[in-house]
Structure formats: C-alpha cells, structure tokens
Amino acid sequence: MTVPDQVVLIGPPGAGKSTTGARVARALGLEILDTDAMVEQRAGKPVADIFVEDGEPAFRALELEATRSALGTPGVVALGGGAPMQPAIAELLADHKVVFLDVTIAHAAKRIGFDGSRPLLAVNPRAAWTKMMGERRPTYERLGTVRVDTGDRTPEEIVDDVRAGLTGLTGPTAPARAAVPS
C-alpha cells in the first residue's frame, strides 16, 4: 500500500474521528491534526464555551481557519462533525482522500453519552443527533471517497478498514467511492 501523506476523516459526533484519527495517523506514520483541538488551542477555551460565549458563527470561522491550516500539512485530519457543512470547507476537501466514518445513533450514544460538551446536542440529544445526521448524511456521502461503518467495532478493526479502503485509491481523489462493510 502506498501511504497517503494526508487523509481526512469526517462523520457525525460519536463516529470515532478523534480516536480513529490518532490510530490511523500512528499506523501510517503521520501526525494527527484534530481541528476541534486546534480551535480550542487558538481560542484558549473548549468548543462548548466558544459556542456559549462567542456564538456558532465565531466557532465556524475558527473551524474554517483550523481546517485550512490542517489541510496544508501532511497528516490525518479529523474534522469536527459540522465542518463539511460549510461550503468553503466542502470545497477545500475536493482534492483530498476523505473517509466518512459512519455510525448509528445507538453506537454513537454509547461512545459520547450525549453530554453537555457537545453544544449542538445539548437539548434533547437523541432527537438533535438524528435530525443533524439526516441533514448531514448526503454531504458526508458526497464528500467521502471511502465509507467505514464504525458501529460496534474495535478501534483496531476500524483502522484496518480505513487502511483497506485507502488501498484502492490513487491520485489526489478516488475515481469512485469505496465502501468498507462492517
């Protein structure tokens, strides 16, 4: 397998982007670039606090800046769940290997517990997640060159599937989407 110098992970909250990203980066010998962590470092506060104190538009501006920076550096880029919904970010992803980490609400709930650290899920988290995923799924599917189901799977299995999905990709983008079943 030719090791890509950059892989982008997208998906909803609870799909495992941060956990999988760190493991994929290690497996490929690359750096992990988590845009939410980059935003928090730049702002000096957690994402939830940015939403409450500065508003979602301020967060999205910081997220765009972090994404531009991350995409300019070799590594595994873990994007926040809403990042691909920004047209400017979606456009930036056009020439990248993008892995859509898919998950059901049942599996996402087990991983994140729908706590208060996720501002868009603060009120009625299950209904909010379901609505959010319904709105975001078409974008995730359109941008993803590889889809990996992360539900009820170990991080090692997910990393193996990400690597297997990337094996068939050539050039800056895949000629067709590759699906990796669970």
Side-chain angles (χ1 to χ4, degrees):
M1 171 182 145
T2 302
V3 176
D5 65 354
Q6 190 165 72
V7 176
V8 180
L9 303 179
I10 63 172
K17 298 177 299 290
S18 296
T19 300
T20 299
R23 290 174 183 254
V24 169
R26 193 168 31 252
L28 298 178
L30 297 170
E31 180 181 354
I32 178 66
L33 302 159
D34 187 312
T35 59
D36 280 350
M38 294 168 71
V39 165
E40 288 180 345
Q41 182 176 23
R42 177 160 176 91
K45 54 187 163 185
V47 168
D49 290 352
I50 298 168
F51 267 79
V52 170
E53 296 169 13
D54 307 320
E56 185 174 354
F59 169 76
R60 296 298 175 196
L62 289 168
E63 181 177 58
L64 175 58
E65 183 182 312
T67 301
R68 282 190 177 124
S69 176
L71 293 177
T73 305
V76 175
V77 179
L79 291 183
M85 302 310 292
Q86 289 193 59
I89 291 177
E91 187 176 315
L92 290 171
L93 298 178
D95 294 328
H96 291 81
K97 294 171 180 72
V98 179
V99 178
F100 166 29
L101 297 179
D102 201 357
V103 68
T104 65
I105 188 170
H107 291 107
K110 289 179 197 174
R111 291 184 182 147
I112 62 176
F114 294 132
D115 62 21
S117 68
R118 301 196 184 244
L120 295 181
L121 301 176
V123 177
N124 195 352
R126 288 181 182 276
W129 191 96
T130 301
K131 180 178 185 282
M132 179 187 302
M133 189 58 175
E135 293 167 351
R136 292 179 179 180
R137 178 173 290 284
T139 300
Y140 292 154
E141 289 177 346
R142 178 176 53 83
L143 296 174
T145 48
V146 175
R147 180 192 157 276
V148 175
D149 182 354
T150 67
D152 204 25
R153 321 239 355 265
T154 68
E156 293 77 18
E157 291 170 327
I158 297 166
V159 169
D160 288 347
D161 281 356
V162 168
R163 291 182 71 179
L166 293 172
T167 300
L169 302 180
T170 58
T173 59
R177 194 172 327 170
V180 180
S182 56

